[in-house]
Amino acid sequence: MESDKLLILAVDDDATIRMLLEFLLKKRYRVVLREDGWDALAWMGEGNLPDLILADLEMPRVDGISLLEQVKASGAFSHIPVVILTGHESQELFQRCKSAGADDYLLKPFNPDVLYHRIDKALAAGVRVG
Amino acid sequence: MYALIQTEIDSAPATRRAARWVSAGPASCHLASGLGPDVEQACADTAFRAWRLIHASHVPPLAVFCDASLPDSDVWSLLARLRRESPFRQVPFVLVSEHVDKSLIIKALQLGADEVYDIDADPAAVRRRLAFLRSFKSEQESPVQEEETRRRPPVSSPRRLLDITLSSLGLLLSMPLLLPAALLLWIESGYPLERVQRVGMGYQVFDLYQLRSRRKERRDTGEYTRLGRWFSRMGITRWPQLLNVFLGDLTLSGYEPLPLQVAEQLTTDEWAGRFLTPAGLTGPWAGITSASARRRLEKDFSLSRKPWSGLKIVLTTLPLAFRDLVLPTED
């Protein structure tokens, strides 16, 4: 059943990447798309708890790092695994994401099977609340 | 903005003596007291007394903390009062509990709370979160923008008009040959038409129509039926794709409509752009068998919004497009 599928919140400011992520993810999960960290936090603040957040790094208003920091500083959302998806290969960025609490870090271009594997791995490792 | 608010909180005692946390209940008071000595805090033992403390001040508190263990009516009525009265509407409301579970989080957030913390939450994280929430709530005037739900991005009207006109005309003109061909294939193998899934504009998956030319049970080996081979050589098998153009799945000239397993490999921003414009019945890729050569051509291929430019491509590549659908070879 559709409602049994886990819910992924995919956050990216690029409309085509959002479409791509929806195309890839909806085969296995329920997907909600938001275009930046601001919209993602607003949506979650209404009481919507995704099972995992997949976030780009470079976004307007609230970028991926800030989104990650807010999620991990929150008492309501810190249990949600966050996987960073970015086109920038940088050791410094990787370290920043890691120290901010990212559960995984994936570079574009990515193999869809690797994406599924990383998501499932982060979901399995995530702390469940309630 | 984030930094400004953080500064405001950090320098609160010097610049705004009334800046304070207000807490209702012992757990909230415990959590708020751990946030540092630089902001005054007012503790109350009931939600009602906390409300009186809040209301008595002209300056809204920096945040309100409330124990989840207080009677339900007290907790939610305090929250409702805060959300009703304009000076306090944007004050972050934090529910504090000894046991945080998913149902409590959802209920609290849905009723207008901003956070739910465990009594032993990290004070630095709480401060960081509250600083952000104050900034966030003050700017969050407009409702959350809903994600666009349209299934296809818009196609320019002249192009669509041209697609409908020419595909209708093409379908009408091809009927005298298409219908007998379909009938003969049906007699020969019992299945004249096949649908294959392709990815078009906006990553929308659609069924691409074509006459079935290969044996169903030996499709993997690509073995033609006797009539199928003949119709393929004549180029008739792809004519039903005019129906896809008529329905709007395809345009006359555009990027190649890709199989799902190929589309999902194009995961960089650079490639994602190709899915912003419609897939085409034909295009510069038509007749080229090498997949990498097709992709290279597409990189240089920028579709003009002028329908006549598209028509030029149609006229130059249509004969190639209507040859049998040659599957590109990966090299």
Side-chain angles (χ1 to χ4, degrees):
Chain A
M1 274 174 60
E2 185 69 18
S3 58
D4 293 338
K5 291 182 178 174
L6 294 174
L7 179 63
I8 307 287
L9 169 61
V11 194
D12 198 304
D13 60 328
D14 187 324
T16 45
I17 296 295
R18 286 200 301 278
M19 288 190 284
L20 168 68
L21 291 173
E22 184 184 29
F23 169 68
L24 294 173
L25 296 174
K26 70 183 180 186
K27 296 173 187 172
R28 294 172 174 234
Y29 317 98
R30 286 181 293 139
V31 187
V32 168
L33 305 168
R34 286 294 178 264
E35 59 188 62
D36 59 30
W38 187 277
D39 282 348
L41 288 166
W43 180 76
M44 289 161 67
E46 291 169 354
N48 303 298
L49 298 184
D51 293 293
L52 181 138
I53 300 168
L54 185 62
D56 186 22
L57 277 183
E58 283 187 14
M59 294 184 287
R61 301 199 290 180
V62 173
D63 63 18
I65 293 275
S66 301
L67 170 63
L68 175 63
E69 286 171 346
Q70 286 306 309
V71 167
K72 296 304 175 186
S74 165
F77 310 134
S78 60
H79 66 283
I80 300 171
V82 180
V83 175
I84 297 293
L85 187 61
T86 178
H88 297 283
E89 188 170 7
S90 148
Q91 192 59 28
E92 187 198 338
L93 265 180
F94 173 74
Q95 284 304 334
R96 274 189 71 194
C97 291
K98 200 174 165 189
S99 58
D103 294 81
D104 209 339
Y105 186 94
L106 196 56
L107 283 171
K108 298 180 207 167
F110 54 85
N111 180 320
D113 290 332
V114 173
L115 175 69
Y116 300 142
H117 173 71
R118 298 286 191 88
I119 286 176
D120 289 340
K121 198 173 137 195
L123 282 168
V127 180
R128 301 270 171 192
V129 172
Chain B
M1 180 57 79
Y2 179 94
L4 275 176
I5 297 294
Q6 184 67 57
T7 307
E8 180 192 359
I9 291 176
D10 289 346
S11 61
T15 56
R16 296 176 58 181
R17 299 191 62 81
R20 59 182 179 168
W21 320 114
V22 173
S23 312
S28 299
C29 202
H30 170 79
L31 180 63
S33 64
L35 298 180
D38 52 345
V39 179
E40 179 189 330
Q41 72 157 318
C43 285
D45 53 355
T46 67
F48 178 70
R49 287 190 180 128
W51 172 247
R52 286 181 60 184
L53 282 171
I54 295 163
H55 210 248
S57 170
H58 296 296
V59 180
L62 294 173
V64 173
F65 297 81
C66 184
D67 280 20
S69 60
L70 294 178
D72 251 16
S73 56
D74 287 5
V75 175
W76 306 126
S77 70
L78 173 61
L79 177 56
R81 279 176 173 175
L82 276 170
R83 294 296 171 253
R84 241 188 343 255
E85 296 210 15
S86 63
F88 311 119
R89 199 170 286 156
Q90 293 175 346
V91 173
F93 183 94
V94 179
L95 197 65
V96 182
S97 174
E98 288 184 14
H99 177 66
V100 176
D101 63 32
K102 197 171 179 179
S103 60
L104 178 68
I105 293 171
I106 292 173
K107 183 179 180 184
L109 296 179
Q110 286 180 344
L111 288 173
D114 299 290
E115 260 302 345
V116 182
Y117 275 110
D118 184 273
I119 187 170
D120 297 319
D122 172 20
V126 177
R127 283 188 74 109
R128 194 160 61 242
R129 182 77 179 126
L130 288 176
F132 176 83
L133 277 171
R134 284 173 55 78
S135 155
F136 184 74
K137 290 175 74 69
S138 67
E139 289 189 21
Q140 199 187 19
E141 291 300 321
S142 54
V144 178
Q145 294 288 314
E146 284 301 316
E147 178 69 18
E148 294 174 6
T149 52
R150 60 170 181 257
R151 303 315 296 163
R152 275 196 196 101
V155 179
S156 70
S157 303
R159 170 181 281 185
R160 184 77 191 111
L161 193 65
L162 192 68
D163 284 350
I164 291 173
T165 308
L166 292 185
S167 62
S168 311
L169 196 65
L171 280 169
L172 274 174
L173 291 174
S174 64
M175 281 303 166
L177 261 177
L178 198 56
L179 286 178
L183 185 67
L184 288 170
L185 284 172
W186 180 68
I187 292 168
E188 184 191 50
S189 56
Y191 35 86
L193 196 67
E194 70 175 356
R195 294 181 297 181
V196 289
Q197 287 200 314
R198 289 289 183 269
V199 182
M201 189 172 178
Y203 286 98
Q204 295 305 308
V205 179
F206 65 93
D207 288 330
L208 188 76
Y209 299 106
Q210 55 196 35
L211 290 182
R212 192 189 291 273
S213 57
R214 297 167 199 265
R215 291 187 191 284
K216 193 176 185 180
E217 66 278 11
R218 293 186 189 176
R219 205 173 155 202
D220 290 340
T221 59
E223 190 178 331
Y224 283 103
T225 63
R226 200 159 48 86
L227 281 172
R229 180 184 301 278
W230 194 59
F231 288 137
S232 291
R233 281 180 184 162
M234 289 176 69
I236 296 175
T237 49
R238 288 191 67 199
W239 289 7
Q241 289 176 16
L242 287 166
L243 184 61
N244 289 109
V245 178
F246 182 79
L247 293 173
D249 299 324
L250 295 177
T251 185
L252 287 168
S253 69
Y255 290 108
E256 181 186 1
L258 295 175
L260 272 64
Q261 64 272 26
V262 177
E264 62 186 24
Q265 299 302 321
L266 306 179
T267 56
T268 57
D269 301 11
E270 175 191 35
W271 283 116
R274 77 186 295 293
F275 296 98
L276 281 176
T277 53
L281 175 73
T282 181
W285 46 269
I288 294 168
T289 53
S290 155
S292 59
R294 286 185 177 200
R295 300 291 90 77
R296 266 200 308 277
L297 269 174
E298 284 190 344
K299 270 195 171 176
D300 305 329
F301 175 47
S302 174
L303 280 176
S304 166
R305 291 190 177 276
K306 294 174 188 171
W308 298 114
S309 307
L311 187 61
K312 191 178 166 190
I313 295 173
V314 173
L315 293 174
T316 52
T317 58
L318 200 61
L320 294 170
F322 276 134
R323 284 194 339 207
D324 184 28
L325 181 64
V326 182
L327 291 174
T329 54
E330 297 297 336
D331 47 14

